[in-house]
């Protein structure tokens, strides 16, 4: 199997078992196949969405 290329920083990954890129720390998205078309949102994105929802609900409470 050829070296895996990080989709984020394009660096070759020697470790076949690695789940995270050695260079940029991003997920290597190894779970292709049935999840090939689905892209997991990054944890940062999830946190930002949660914070925005909390702020939005708080503003709604203030308006009532
Ligand atoms: Zn990388």
């Amino acid at each position: 199997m050829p070296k895996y290329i990080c989709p984020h920083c394009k660096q070759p990954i020697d470790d076949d078992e690695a789940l995270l890129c050695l260079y940029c720390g991003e997920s290597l998205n190894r779970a292709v196949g049935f999840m090939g078309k689905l892209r997991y949102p990054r944890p940062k994105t999830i946190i930002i969405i949660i914070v925005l929802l909390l702020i939005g609900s708080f503003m709604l409470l203030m308006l009532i």
Side-chain angles (χ1 to χ4, degrees), residues 1-7 11-14 16 28-30 32:
M1 184 175 175
K3 284 182 181 179
Y4 189 84
I5 306 298
C6 173
Q11 294 286 340
I13 310 300
D14 290 319
D16 287 336
L28 294 176
N29 298 326
R30 283 286 172 83
V32 283

Side-chain angles (χ1 to χ4, degrees), residues 6-11 13 21-26 28:
C6 173
H8 300 279
C9 62
K10 313 300 182 192
Q11 294 286 340
I13 310 300
C21 175
L22 300 172
Y23 301 95
C24 66
E26 292 286 350
L28 294 176

